[in-house]
Amino acid sequence: MRKLLVLGMLALAGVALAQPKVFKGTEPGRAGGAYRVTAISDPRTWNPFVARETSSTDIISLFLPTLTGYSPYTQAPEGNLAKSWEVRNNGLTVIFQLREGARWSDGRPITADDVVFSATVHADARVNSNARSSFILDGQPIRWTKVDQFRVRADFPKPYAPALIQGWYIVPEHIFGPAYRAGVQQLQALWNLDTPPAQIVSGGPFKLDSYVKGERVVLVRNPNYWGVDERGSPVAYLERYTVQIVPDLNAQLARFLAGDADVFAAANADQVAQVLERIRAGRLRAEIFPNADVTLGTNFIVFNWNHKDPFKENLFRQVKFRRAMAHLMDKKSMIEVALGGLGQPQWSPISIPNKAFFTDEVAKYEFNPQRAAQLLAELGFRSKNRDGWLVNAQGRVLEFNLVTNQGNNVRERIAQIFRDEARKIGVKVEYRPIDFNELVRQLTSPAADGTREFDAILIGLTGGIEPAFSRNVWELNGPLHMWNLGVGGKNPAKVEAFEVLIDSLMKRGATTLDQAQRRQIYVQFQKVVAENLPIIYTVAPAYNPARLTRLGGMFSKEQVNAITGQAPYIETVFAKE
Amino acid sequence: MYAYIVRRLLQLIPTFFGATLLAFLVIQLAPGDFVTRLELDPTQDRESIANLRQQLGLDQPLPVQYAKWLSGILQGYLGLSLSYKTDVWNVIGPRILNSMVLVVLATLMIYLIAIPIGVYSAIYKYTWQDRLFTVLAFFGLAVPNFFFGLIMLFLAVWLYDLTDMRLLPIGGMTNEFLHLGNMTRAAQWFFPPALLGSLVFAALFWRRTRQKLAPTFGQWVGLVLFGVSALLLLFPLWQGPGLPERLPYTDAPLWARITNVLWHAFPVVIVVGTSGLAGLMRVMRGQMLDVLSQDYIRTARAKGLSERVVIYKHALRNAVIPFIAGIGGLLPGLIGGAGLVEVTMAWPGITPALLEAISAIDLYVIMGLITITTILLMIGNVISDLLLAWVDPRIRYS
């Protein structure tokens, strides 16, 4: 009887009008072919509720769908599994219409039950999914409910700008549901690396075919995928998607140079030169776009405003001091020496590739040691002692320690260049690389009285498109409000006026729905940060993508960018030969 | 003797607890834990970080964590990997096996080459051959393995450019697709010389036994090498023509998979082998020189024994005693992996997994590996001592 029911449902699903997503590629493609990439480490799991690192999610994103994402052409929200949406209640409610006829690779339909179930599990504190923060807004939950078989409704506690970006993975309820009801442990044990690939159900363009630990993950085309190209032919075009695990960057380069990998992102000028040389010698049919864009991640120096030493705390809180430090950053040398000539200076918190929000019209305290010396003199550091260090009237030497995480060559060189310039005008900077975890501890764990021990740290953060997702850094009580950190989730004891302004801008930015208004808010935010320098940005490394010419459906030189990458969609990439 | 063995085995117990406790403390005393790196992720809030720490049991006091781990170990359970959410053995087991391919082959290569060269160098000391080996030995010791590995990779790319054939692999342990057609054609080329070689060596071997003489080392090596190659080549000759030109690795027959792994292992084993080879060769030379200057060697020569008998029967047997005693020490090395060269040449061995575990502070993976290594080290030491008593009549445990 049950079998009959399933069969009946399958037939119904076939009859129902299919509503596939139309993927707009860069050129007409054809089916077949393989795509080979390299990855630096193994995935840890296939379970989206357990996955915490890109080595896992990069693969999961190929076989599990999301409701919406960013359009690769305009960066505006674009439907994936959601065909359309309707915003009601002044933005407090969004109703997402799912694609009818979308099916999992095992033939079952993808319905509102799957979506609501996935949302419930992601939001469950016991599961502790990496996507949990997408379900909480200022401490209040975002509620997901089923309207009918193909409509889900999200209720927000307050208007939320990124409400249309729902990038969490949707899982088949018929597989995860029973495990979840049996307990969180059972849920987390599902879809681990020892699960046979055939049991992993896909709702994305590819499905898992095989995995050899430490070697490669092979995915093959999912014939049940809910996507077509502009001519109505099914996508993905590619028959096979292989992730080769190569833990060493030079070995990854060797794979690309030998034509064993289809795409590569050169990390530095030396690698760019090697690829170029091989292309010129006619040994590799490939193209490379050096300095096509800069990466989303940022590198910056942050000073400790909660210092044990009142002298240092007071000093670091002076905007003149921070501007003087910014004037000591020789960003041109940093790009030349630390980045091998490929990169751009950065002045404000929003990553340069993020065109929707980035502005270049901000205050720039460019490299100018005389101006730095003048600013420090205004703070009282007028004379030098016998050793040549700047001192104030009380004889205090202008000195601080700068640390960065060991093993990050780019940061280590940036720190050294900064130290050398600072020492030239008499600022005694002691630079030392330390272990990453120790650095994080110093940065994020204040003592009971709220003080922290470091002077200055050079560190970086990963960037994204949506500025609202960096609220943890910029709001006063954020756990990464790292220059002036409050204790136990409270605001810092002593805040400056501009920090309050940043806090309110971030809150407004997250709750304003009009795109033009949002841009205004974040432009102002960038101006305030660049002016007051709670974080002093350094340089952004270049994005130097390379690929074999056998690939079609890729972005042109002008379109390639660090956010989307080398192709608008993996669905419309194809092999020309 | 049995009392000695029992006593040694009993001593293992406190050593085991001491070693694991120390390792546990050292890992835990280092700043940060598995969750620390998430703290710099702007999308994570305090609550979920605290939740995660509690879920993984990282917020409990150290003695509790150690006791929990220990009770698991006593039941043969190595613990749960924090990043893979699965039994530690599932994480490290396959990696150890992969590493073993390299370690076993490299060890064989080292012993088979280093001992004869060491003996040769000692007998013909200060000749140009000896000097050449010495220079090569120091070269092998001086070049770091990971660097040699990178050179190998670029050599492979260079050879590919030069010949348009994949003579050497560009990293990795297997290919995604196996070209069975190429393998079969190669086998058809190589089988006749391999067969001829084995026949020639078999004939030499047979003549030597007919003369009531032990076959020489060279004859043994030649017979084994040619014989094994000819046997292995039989499989593609027999099965190859009936198979498609190209198959995914997972669908290919066993002989093709073994050949593919061995082909990938070849450059890595060369890299790993050279450094070990250099050291062992020098030690063997020193040992041999030491023994050759002994009085009993002079006596043997004075008795009128042939130089051959003096060297192989009297000198070599005494000179290899330290090596035999060192065999036990190889045991932990078997699972320890081949070092950084596994990272540079993308061999999915235990070293990359261990480095990942250390940088992520995946506590139980590190502890699991340390535990297994410790146990093997202790067993290896016992074996070494017993072997020493067996080969050297001067040593007795009572």
Side-chain angles (χ1 to χ4, degrees):
Chain A
M1 188 60 208
R2 202 154 137 215
K3 213 168 173 181
L4 210 70
L5 206 73
V6 171
L7 277 175
M9 276 167 66
L10 284 180
L12 268 178
V15 170
L17 196 64
Q19 302 171 326
K21 169 167 175 172
V22 179
F23 286 90
K24 187 172 163 290
T26 55
E27 57 185 314
R30 60 187 185 84
Y35 184 73
R36 302 150 306 160
V37 296
T38 48
I40 200 108
S41 84
D42 274 278
R44 303 290 193 268
T45 176
W46 312 124
N47 185 331
F49 303 116
V50 176
R52 292 199 168 267
E53 48 288 294
T54 49
S55 61
S56 309
T57 52
D58 283 351
I59 295 170
I60 292 175
S61 68
L62 295 170
F63 67 80
L64 287 184
T66 60
L67 275 184
T68 58
Y70 293 100
S71 156
Y73 298 102
T74 62
Q75 252 56 277
E78 180 177 283
N80 285 336
L81 190 62
K83 184 179 61 122
S84 58
W85 50 79
E86 196 185 325
V87 181
R88 292 184 188 167
N89 262 346
N90 296 323
L92 285 177
T93 301
V94 184
I95 291 178
F96 292 93
Q97 170 78 46
L98 308 183
R99 289 180 200 280
E100 291 176 36
R103 281 178 296 141
W104 297 104
S105 60
D106 63 0
R108 301 267 203 127
I110 309 181
T111 66
D113 290 319
D114 295 312
V115 178
V116 171
F117 169 76
S118 305
T120 314
V121 181
H122 278 298
D124 188 337
R126 295 170 302 153
V127 175
N128 222 345
S129 152
N130 216 30
R132 181 148 186 265
S133 54
S134 310
F135 296 86
I136 298 166
L137 187 54
D138 295 334
Q140 289 170 286
I142 299 167
R143 289 190 200 292
W144 287 81
T145 42
K146 176 181 171 178
V147 179
D148 57 38
Q149 201 192 353
F150 293 106
R151 277 194 299 170
V152 290
R153 170 189 170 120
D155 287 294
F156 295 84
K158 54 175 83 168
Y160 188 43
L164 296 178
I165 297 300
Q166 299 297 342
W168 35 276
Y169 297 109
I170 295 162
V171 299
E173 199 268 342
H174 59 276
I175 291 180
F176 280 81
Y180 181 57
R181 287 184 283 278
V184 171
Q185 299 255 310
Q186 272 86 337
L187 178 93
Q188 289 177 330
L190 273 186
W191 286 15
N192 64 42
L193 295 183
D194 296 311
T195 308
Q199 287 180 17
I200 309 261
V201 172
S202 161
F206 295 94
K207 64 178 199 241
L208 216 54
D209 178 66
S210 68
Y211 169 50
V212 187
K213 283 181 187 171
E215 285 259 37
R216 73 183 68 82
V217 183
V218 178
L219 298 108
V220 292
R221 200 176 158 269
N222 173 13
N224 280 359
Y225 187 50
W226 36 266
V228 293
D229 67 5
E230 287 173 298
R231 292 166 302 175
S233 336
V235 292
Y237 292 133
L238 294 164
E239 195 51 50
R240 210 173 159 86
Y241 187 112
T242 308
V243 183
Q244 308 169 17
I245 295 138
V246 183
D248 182 81
L249 280 178
N250 288 306
Q252 289 194 351
L253 173 65
R255 289 267 169 112
F256 181 73
L257 291 181
D260 283 355
D262 288 309
V263 288
F264 180 70
N268 52 46
D270 180 45
Q271 295 195 333
V272 169
Q274 289 194 52
V275 174
L276 276 175
E277 191 196 314
R278 219 172 144 75
I279 295 173
R280 283 194 194 120
R283 284 270 158 218
L284 187 68
R285 282 186 292 167
E287 37 192 355
I288 184 164
F289 311 115
N291 232 345
D293 201 350
V294 293
T295 54
L296 281 169
T298 53
N299 290 306
F300 51 78
I301 289 182
V302 56
F303 288 92
N304 179 7
W305 294 16
N306 319 107
H307 208 285
K308 290 189 296 259
D309 179 353
F311 166 77
K312 278 187 176 165
E313 158 153 3
N314 184 41
L315 182 67
F316 296 155
R317 280 176 181 262
Q318 304 291 326
V319 69
K320 277 184 182 167
F321 168 78
R322 298 193 302 273
R323 284 178 189 164
M325 292 304 114
H327 278 308
L328 289 175
M329 281 188 188
D330 186 356
K331 296 188 180 174
K332 219 175 128 199
S333 297
M334 287 176 185
I335 292 170
E336 283 305 317
V337 179
L339 304 177
L342 298 169
Q344 286 180 41
Q346 193 177 1
W347 307 98
S348 69
I350 288 183
S351 311
I352 300 168
N354 196 356
K355 300 283 183 286
F357 297 104
F358 173 76
T359 178
D360 201 34
E361 312 277 302
V362 296
K364 293 177 182 172
Y365 299 93
E366 290 184 51
F367 180 54
N368 186 347
Q370 287 84 20
R371 179 79 190 119
Q374 198 186 335
L375 283 169
L376 293 173
E378 288 171 24
L379 289 171
F381 295 95
R382 290 191 183 83
S383 52
K384 287 186 177 176
N385 67 6
R386 262 182 305 163
D387 300 326
W389 304 123
L390 282 170
V391 288
N392 64 6
Q394 291 78 41
R396 274 295 296 247
V397 176
L398 180 55
E399 60 180 333
F400 59 86
N401 295 319
L402 173 66
V403 297
T404 190
N405 59 313
Q406 218 158 23
N408 186 317
N409 294 337
V410 170
R411 283 186 200 146
E412 289 187 13
R413 287 192 191 133
I414 291 175
Q416 284 161 2
I417 291 167
F418 173 74
R419 177 203 47 199
D420 294 347
E421 287 304 329
R423 287 183 158 228
K424 276 184 201 159
I425 67 155
V427 183
K428 191 176 178 190
V429 178
E430 299 286 356
Y431 156 69
R432 192 163 58 97
I434 61 170
D435 178 68
F436 179 74
N437 287 323
E438 171 59 15
L439 185 139
V440 174
R441 189 192 65 75
Q442 292 188 8
L443 194 66
T444 58
S445 325
D449 62 351
T451 60
R452 294 178 292 169
E453 51 197 277
F454 72 95
D455 294 343
I457 281 179
L458 173 68
I459 187 74
L461 288 179
T462 53
I465 302 183
E466 177 50 64
F469 293 160
S470 63
R471 284 183 304 161
N472 281 337
V473 179
W474 299 105
E475 290 186 0
L476 282 170
N477 61 352
L480 278 177
H481 196 260
M482 52 186 99
W483 58 97
N484 191 12
L485 189 65
V487 184
K490 294 198 190 71
N491 286 1
K494 210 174 112 193
V495 297
E496 308 289 322
F498 82 88
E499 296 180 78
V500 180
L501 178 56
I502 291 177
D503 181 79
S504 78
L505 285 172
M506 282 316 273
K507 288 201 162 85
R508 265 175 55 209
T511 49
T512 302
L513 300 180
D514 181 70
Q515 181 62 22
Q517 267 180 26
R518 285 196 82 202
R519 184 174 156 85
Q520 279 312 309
I521 293 168
Y522 288 117
V523 164
Q524 203 198 341
F525 155 70
Q526 291 172 80
K527 286 183 172 164
V528 175
V529 174
E531 185 85 24
N532 293 286
L533 299 168
I535 281 176
I536 309 175
Y537 287 92
T538 61
V539 289
Y543 172 60
N544 313 303
R547 67 206 185 200
L548 300 188
T549 46
R550 64 178 278 272
L551 292 179
M554 306 293 279
F555 270 150
S556 68
K557 185 174 193 283
E558 291 71 35
Q559 291 171 303
V560 161
N561 66 79
I563 293 176
T564 320
Q566 300 207 54
Y569 303 102
I570 188 60
E571 284 87 347
T572 51
V573 171
F574 62 96
K576 282 181 181 162
E577 51 207 58
Chain B
M1 191 70 180
Y2 288 108
Y4 172 77
I5 296 175
V6 170
R7 205 169 64 234
R8 281 297 299 265
L9 289 176
L10 282 178
Q11 280 170 4
L12 296 186
I13 297 169
T15 320
F16 173 78
F17 287 118
T20 52
L21 182 63
L22 199 65
F24 198 84
L25 281 179
V26 168
I27 299 169
Q28 293 279 28
L29 285 180
D33 60 24
F34 179 71
V35 184
T36 304
R37 81 204 143 89
L38 292 177
E39 288 181 21
L40 270 200
D41 181 347
T43 61
Q44 298 287 324
D45 47 32
R46 283 191 181 91
E47 187 207 352
S48 51
I49 285 175
N51 254 341
L52 191 65
R53 221 170 236 134
Q54 188 213 349
Q55 211 173 63
L56 297 174
L58 294 172
D59 58 341
Q60 291 169 339
L62 286 192
V64 177
Q65 288 189 45
Y66 180 69
K68 276 191 176 171
W69 175 80
L70 200 62
S71 74
I73 285 290
L74 296 178
Q75 295 158 36
Y77 175 62
L78 289 175
L80 194 76
S81 158
L82 301 180
S83 24
Y84 292 89
K85 298 281 180 307
T86 175
D87 196 332
V88 165
W89 181 247
N90 289 342
V91 178
I92 62 176
R95 300 300 197 115
I96 289 177
L97 280 181
N98 291 347
S99 275
M100 268 188 170
V101 173
L102 292 184
V103 177
V104 169
L105 288 176
T107 311
L108 277 178
M109 171 185 145
I110 290 170
Y111 276 78
L112 285 180
I113 298 180
I115 293 182
I117 291 184
V119 172
Y120 182 90
S121 277
I123 300 170
Y124 302 98
K125 67 172 173 181
Y126 306 135
T127 59
W128 68 267
Q129 294 96 327
D130 175 34
R131 282 175 211 275
L132 181 71
F133 285 132
T134 308
V135 169
L136 287 180
F138 284 118
F139 192 72
L141 277 177
V143 179
N145 264 351
F146 72 90
F147 182 67
F148 196 8
L150 280 179
I151 292 181
M152 267 292 181
L153 281 186
F154 283 87
L155 179 76
V157 175
W158 180 75
L159 270 179
Y160 173 46
D161 287 354
L162 205 66
T163 60
D164 244 349
M165 281 187 289
R166 282 294 161 86
L167 295 180
L168 285 179
I170 297 157
M173 188 174 89
T174 59
N175 280 112
E176 190 181 351
F177 289 98
L178 303 189
H179 286 264
L180 297 170
N182 285 351
M183 284 189 182
T184 312
R185 280 187 291 278
Q188 282 161 355
W189 266 97
F190 285 118
F191 184 70
L195 190 67
L196 187 70
S198 3
L199 289 178
V200 168
F201 273 97
L204 287 174
F205 203 88
W206 178 74
R207 217 184 70 191
R208 191 106 180 142
T209 26
R210 271 280 299 271
Q211 292 167 355
K212 302 258 159 57
L213 285 170
T216 65
F217 179 71
Q219 286 167 357
W220 269 109
V221 171
L223 186 68
V224 169
L225 281 184
F226 278 106
V228 170
S229 319
L231 280 179
L232 282 179
L233 288 172
L234 273 178
F235 287 98
L237 279 186
W238 173 44
Q239 274 194 335
L243 288 169
E245 186 74 5
R246 207 173 89 129
L247 269 182
Y249 178 81
T250 35
D251 302 340
L254 183 66
W255 58 264
R257 280 180 282 157
I258 292 181
T259 318
N260 193 251
V261 170
L262 287 180
W263 179 64
H264 279 92
F266 174 70
V268 195
V269 169
I270 299 278
V271 171
V272 180
T274 40
S275 59
L277 182 70
L280 203 73
M281 196 161 106
R282 296 299 292 169
V283 176
M284 187 65 217
R285 180 177 179 272
Q287 279 291 326
M288 198 66 187
L289 282 177
D290 216 28
V291 175
L292 281 176
S293 65
Q294 297 285 332
D295 287 343
Y296 60 81
I297 297 294
R298 197 166 9 132
T299 313
R301 285 191 178 128
K303 278 199 301 194
L305 290 179
S306 75
E307 192 60 18
R308 229 192 111 72
V309 176
V310 172
I311 287 168
Y312 290 102
K313 198 157 181 187
H314 292 251
L316 184 58
R317 282 201 179 176
N318 283 305
V320 294
I321 285 178
F323 291 100
I324 291 173
I327 286 174
L330 293 176
L331 207 55
L334 279 181
I335 71 143
L340 275 181
V341 65
E342 289 180 354
V343 176
T344 49
M345 299 187 82
W347 190 270
I350 191 68
T351 315
L354 178 66
L355 289 179
E356 261 172 28
I358 291 176
S359 71
I361 320 196
D362 193 344
L363 181 63
Y364 300 108
V365 170
I366 311 175
M367 281 308 292
L369 204 64
I370 290 179
T371 309
I372 300 176
T373 317
T374 312
I375 294 174
L376 287 183
L377 182 71
M378 294 187 301
I379 296 176
N381 278 341
V382 175
I383 294 179
S384 281
D385 289 350
L386 295 179
L387 277 176
L388 199 60
W390 179 59
V391 295
D392 194 342
R394 286 169 297 183
I395 293 171
R396 280 288 166 265
Y397 305 113
S398 50

